[in-house]
Each structure stands twice: as structure tokens, then as C-alpha cells.
Amino acid sequence: MPPETPSNETTQPDPPYLARLNPAQAEAVTSVDGAYLVVAGAGSGKTMVLVSRVAHLVAQGVDPRAILLLTFTNRAAREMLRRATALLDERCARVAGGTFHAFANAVLRRYAPLLGYENSFSILDRSDSEDLIHRIRTHLGLSTKERRFPTKRTLLDIISGAANTGRGLVDVVNEDYPHFAKDLPDIGKVAEAYDEAKRRRSLMDFDDLLLNLRQLLREHRQVTQKLAQTYRYVMVDEYQDTNRVQAEIAARLAVGHGNLMVVGDDSQSIYAFRGARYRNILEFPELFPDCRVIKLERNYRSTQPILDLTNAVIAQAPALVRKRLYTDVADGLKPVFIRPDDEVQQAAFICRRVLDLREEGVPLKEMAVLARSLSHAGEVQVELGRHNIPFVVYGGRRFNEAAHIKDALAYLRVIQNVGDELAWQRGLELIEGVGPVTAARLIEAIAAQGGGYGALVSEPFQGKRYSPAFSQLYQVIQRAATQGVSVAQQVGEVLAYYQPILERQYDDHPRRQPDLDVLHSLAARYDSLEELLTDLTLEPHQAEERVDEAGHPDEDPMVVSTIHSAKGLEWHTVFLIHLVDGSLPSELSMGSQEEIEEERRLLYVAATRARRQLYLLAPVTRSVGRPWFLRQDGGPFAKPSRFLEEIEGLDDLVETWALLPGQGGQIRAYGPPEQLPRGALDDDATDRLRRVDDFFGL
């Protein structure tokens, strides 16, 4: 056989933006013409793929202005294009990138007259929309004090919910606001008048931008053709979070050329309440039968033991694109499963473990507590404050900053200190018929009586609309201030009084109720009302303002977050709390199999936030989520989440730890049961023994 003739061709090295990619990522990046569904598992480098594909398209000679990158925040688009520019050159900065809403606005500025709007239409922000709805509500005579009607904020939530989820107003009200079902005819009138007022004045809210763009693309094919000629390559990030309107917009933009790449993970679709449809991913091959499906399964975030558990969790889900995450990081701790006695012990363990990890070199900012709802994290927040551990909250206000908690605390504060004028002011103005003037008069009367509560039932305040409420409040204070009454009883008295106020004051009171349950649960830990109020008041508010003993800024805080707000983030260590049925899955999200499956995806998202250590905590007794007046002896027995219970071989995927309680509700030891001391001494004896052992070199 003759020798091979040397080739004159030289192999060109891969460009820098391809050199760091694994084969699946490179396939997605170098795929140019056609439709592509990129199923990107958690931590699989989805953003790098999008950034590199932008660079690749430009490097292949595609006009940057012919590329459209649709993301869920303008910040994300800017960051991606910045990174693409760093990978290639300044041409990438000319790529069109932004949110669906920003793109819709740009298009409608040119074509709005086709829909009956002026090109100069105004965009209503949330505050503007609420104000317009308030004017309509008032005009229709639906804002009178004699009749409770949804607030302007709630009305906008209902109208927007219908637009984003594709449900009608009737379904939104019946499913999300059943206490307003009787008002459906009038809610419909408000919605109709709101829509008519916007159109008459050439106004659009955020929902209108998408709805009107879809209408434009449906009814005016010449516009669709023009846009297809302009944007020949369309990419959509976080496709699992698109609603049906956004999915249709993306598909119509690509009808002329078929060059559409969508990137997402149906296993991480957790925003159904905002209209997100994970089925958009499943249905994409129906829209584009010739599309290529590319799976990114190599994980660059977590250890394999963590991925083994998350794979097992999501494997139980029906109707998802099957994938199995893997990593080169094979070692590491198994996820730890713990059953604390209750929420108090759960919080105590977290604080102890956080401080131990900090001593081992894990920064606080690399640790996070994740919960289905912030109401589940109330105990944890208070305990972190007691241990002087700085933290920030994602997904809502701190526990003690929520309006309904501050309401309840106002009544508790006047029990503790009759001279607390600010607390009196807040508490009194929550009573129907009481305004600032009446509240000020009562505060003056209390001061004139030397700080007695009798002013509430004194003659000047009798025979008024608010008199029965004053008498009831007087009785509540009298009972709560009786010697020997426990803190839990004091809080219970106040919560019973506050319950109708809560329901009248807040349209979303069912969602606020669990926070009050937490407050009552917290009360059982305290011997005095003063101590409870002090801990809630002195909880650190701004970690960045803290300084150490030398006067230097303290370390960055750890995170307490809802799972929804944690999506897209990651930490060295994650504590996933309240992993019991009724909390995850939530009692409020078990009305259908669809809702239950979204709860499963929430667990998947939460677990994949952890890089090295994952702690799964399922308290044996559960108080949160049950009305305070139904709880006895700390709450009912709680089953671990069904999403864990249904996994075969769970014991092989997790390491079970036990907790040894110490004095004052603290945790003195934790770990695998076989490693914990038997017949352990109390704390003082343990300390004495340790000193003796150390002294004699044992």
C-alpha cells in the first residue's frame, strides 16, 4: 500500500469561544440554520451557550442586527452581549437583545396605528394602572366604605392574571380570590371599562404590549414578513418561563425563515402563577417538526451525590423531556436528611451548622436557607438574629417588616407599654371608623389617666361606630395583661382580635395567615412578652451597616430566600426547610396534578442551587400553615414530603442525621446517629469534662 500523500490543508484551531465547550454545548453553538430546542439542565452552562452562539453567528458573517436575543430581563440581555463582545469583538454589541416587552414596545412604536393606537402611546406602569382602575372603580360607585370590594391592586392582579394565564376573569376569581366570587359581575365591569379607557386614551399596560404585538403578527402578515426579513436568527432564553402569548410571538417571528433557537429546562418551570407554561418546551417540536433537540446534561455546579438526588426527584415527574445530569465532580457529601422535633429545633440546628461551617472556612454569603414561603422561615430569621448572624431576605420583606406582622405587634406593644403612642396610633387606625383625629384623642385620654387602658371604655368614646371594637380591645388587653398568662396566650388573644381586621384589611389575607401562625409559634418559646418584642425589634435590619469589634465592615450576609427567588442563584451550602407535605408541596397548591407537579419542580430547583452541601429538613411536628387556634402541643405530626417518600432507594441517596438538644433550645451535637454520644452529659458537665481531659492530655 503506497504511503499517504501529505495534505496541504492545515487544521484550523477552534476559535476561543468554542475551546471551552463540551460536545453538546458546541453542537448548540455551531448550529446555525433551522429550529433548535436546547434543553439545558440546571448548572449546564446555558448562558455560555447563548453567549457563544451570538459570537459564532457574528463570526460566520451574520449581520449582528439580524440577530434577536429575547430574555426575561434587559440586564440579562446586556450582560450576555457584553460577554459575547469580550469573546469576539465589538460587532456583538450591535445584536438586538432585550425582553419580550421591550421588543414589543419597539415594534408597536412603528405599527401601533394598524391597531387603532397612536405611535406616541403611553405605557402605564403598575402604579399608573392601579390609579386608573381606582378612578374607574370610584366612577362606577364600587369604592364606597359601606361595601367591601377588591382594592385597586387586587383588581389589577385579577385582570393581569387573566391576561397572562389565558384564564378568564371568572376562573381567576373563583380559583385565586374565591371570597370575591359574589362580586364577579362588577369586577367584569371594571375590567371592561379599564380596557376601554386605555384604548380611548392610547394607553398600554405591560400585558397590552404582548397582547397587541401578538394581534399585530396575527392580523398583519406584511409586518410579520418585514420583521422576519430584519431578524433572521431568533433566540429565546428561559423558554420554560414563557407564557402562551410569548411562545406564539417567537414562533410567528420565525415563520419566514425557521431560524429559531429556544433554550430552557422544563424541569425548572416554576412560574405557572405568572402564566409560564412548561408545555411550551414539550410542544415546540409540534410547531417545528424538523427541529433538532439538543440536551445539555453535564452539570458544572454540583457534586454527583447532589445530582443523584435531584435526578431521582425529577425522574418521578411525568411528561418532561428526559435527561440525567452528571458531573466530573464525583466525590462530596451526600445530601443530609434531618427530622428536627419542630420548627424551633430546625432553626437551632441551622444556626449551629452555619456557625460551624463558618469556622471551617465557608463564608456566610455562600450559605442559604430556602423555603417554599417566607412564612416557613420566620423561626429561622428570629434565631439568626438572636445569634447575631447577618442575613438578607430574597422574595419579600423580613418577617418583622411585613405589614400584618407590624399590625399584630402594635397591639402586643401597647400591652407591654401603655405609653407607646406609635403602637396605639397604628392599632387604633386599623379599627373601622377610627381615623388620625380619633386615635389622637384616645391617646391623649390614656395619657391623662396616667397610662390606664380604661380610656377605651370611657364616656367620650361610647355610642360611636367604633365603640364595640374599643370595648373588645379593652377586654383583650385585660385578659392578656393578667398575671400568670403565658406569652402564647397573650399572642393568641391578640390574634383572635386581629383576625377580622386582617380579613378586612388585606384582600390576600389567606397568604398572610401563615405568618401569624409563625408569630404564635414563636411566642411559645418566650417567658415574657418583653423578650419576644425585643428579639423581633432588634433583629439586624441591614447587614451592610454592621461592623466588627475593630470597627471594620462585617462579612457579607447569608441568604434567606423563597425558592422562586433563588432560581438562577447558587451557594456552597443550602438548607432546604419545611420539607413536609403541606409545605412542599404546599397545601395551597394541591388542587390538581398540574399544581403538584410544579411543586415537585420547585424541589428540583431548590436542590440544584447547592454546589457542595445540601441539608433537607423535615420537622416532625408542623405548626406553620395551620391556624393558631387549631394547634395543640406544637402541631400535628408531619409526613416528609411525598417527593422524597416516593423515591426508591432514598436511603442510598441521603445520609440521615440526628440532633442532640442542649440547654436553652440549642443543639449540642449533630451527625449520623451512630456517631453521637450515648448517655450524653448536660452542657455544664460536658464543659467540665472537656477541661479535665484537656488538662491531663486526654
Side-chain angles (χ1 to χ4, degrees), residues 8 20 37 212 231 254 258 270 281 347 366 378 382 393 441 446 449-450 493 507 518 535 539 552 646:
N8 292 325
R20 298 179 292 173
L37 169 61
N212 286 332
Y231 305 108
I270 58 174
I281 285 183
E366 282 289 347
V382 173
V393 174
R441 286 175 53 218
I446 291 172
Q449 292 186 7
E493 289 280 358
D507 289 347
V518 171
D535 277 355
E539 178 189 324
H552 302 298
E646 67 191 17

Side-chain angles (χ1 to χ4, degrees), residues 20 79 516 545 567 628 697:
R20 298 179 292 173
E79 177 61 17
L516 300 176
E545 295 177 356
K567 189 172 179 294
W628 64 267

Side-chain angles (χ1 to χ4, degrees), residues 389-394 398 541-544 556-561:
I389 300 173
F391 66 95
V392 293
V393 174
Y394 298 165
R398 287 174 175 263
H541 290 272
Q542 296 295 331
E544 61 268 22
D556 291 333
M558 66 177 296
V559 171
V560 176
S561 175

Side-chain angles (χ1 to χ4, degrees), residues 381-393 398-401 534-546 554 557:
Q381 292 186 51
V382 173
E383 194 69 12
L384 290 172
R386 293 176 64 176
H387 285 78
N388 205 33
I389 300 173
F391 66 95
V392 293
V393 174
R398 287 174 175 263
F399 177 74
N400 64 345
E401 294 175 348
T534 298
D535 277 355
L536 288 172
T537 303
L538 294 184
E539 178 189 324
H541 290 272
Q542 296 295 331
E544 61 268 22
E545 295 177 356
R546 298 163 53 92
D554 203 354

Side-chain angles (χ1 to χ4, degrees), residues 93 145 195 320 323 343 365 374 418 421 490 540 593 685:
K145 294 183 178 179
D195 189 60
L320 291 178
K323 58 187 175 298
E343 291 107 331
K365 67 178 181 181
L374 280 183
V418 69
E421 294 185 3
Q490 290 177 310
Q593 193 59 39

